[in-house]
Amino acid sequence: TGVGGGAMELISTTTLSGTPSTIDITSGFSSTYDDYVIYTSGITSSSVATLRAQFYLAGVLVSGSVYFYSLSSGGAFSAQVSKSYIEVGVINSSDPSGGKIEISNANSTANYAKALLAFGQQKTALMGRTSATGAITGIRLLLSSGTFTAGGTLRLYGIKKS
């Protein structure tokens, strides 16, 4: 079980190849599920970098300053407003990162109705959201600098509606 209380169903698995600067998961988001979980394992980058997320809403990548998130780092909390991304965590080349990203209310078209909760290494975004409207149809993961390296895996699960 997870967000929404239903059983988890594997929708897709993405294995990184090459050195991409972004990772897009744009298939699998639908009205079948309102809530999703993405598990990451073995994700590394060419240098120490902050992992960031952006949503695709109604098929369009939202990259404007419409993201808000709360961040915990070393026990300190901070609120970030009007950003073009949500910080998810920190990754590097020598310590493969594994984490969990939860997306709730993906089909809501109201602004601020969507939440992304990320749990990773070092920094942890406790909650992120966007003021943009539209159902979530995908997610982009990107780095503050450098590129991803081959070999990591991302698994997208849908949470069955209760």
Side-chain angles (χ1 to χ4, degrees), residues 7 15-16 24 54-55 78 96 98 101-102 116 126-128 131 138 148-150 156 159 161:
T15 302
L16 300 183
D24 291 322
Q54 298 171 320
F55 292 129
S78 64
I101 300 170
E102 296 181 18
L116 178 142
L126 300 177
M127 193 274 297
S131 62
F148 294 98
T149 55
L156 173 66
I159 309 300
K161 295 180 182 180

Side-chain angles (χ1 to χ4, degrees), residues 55-62 137:
F55 292 129
Y56 282 86
L57 301 181
V60 177
L61 180 65
V62 178
T137 55

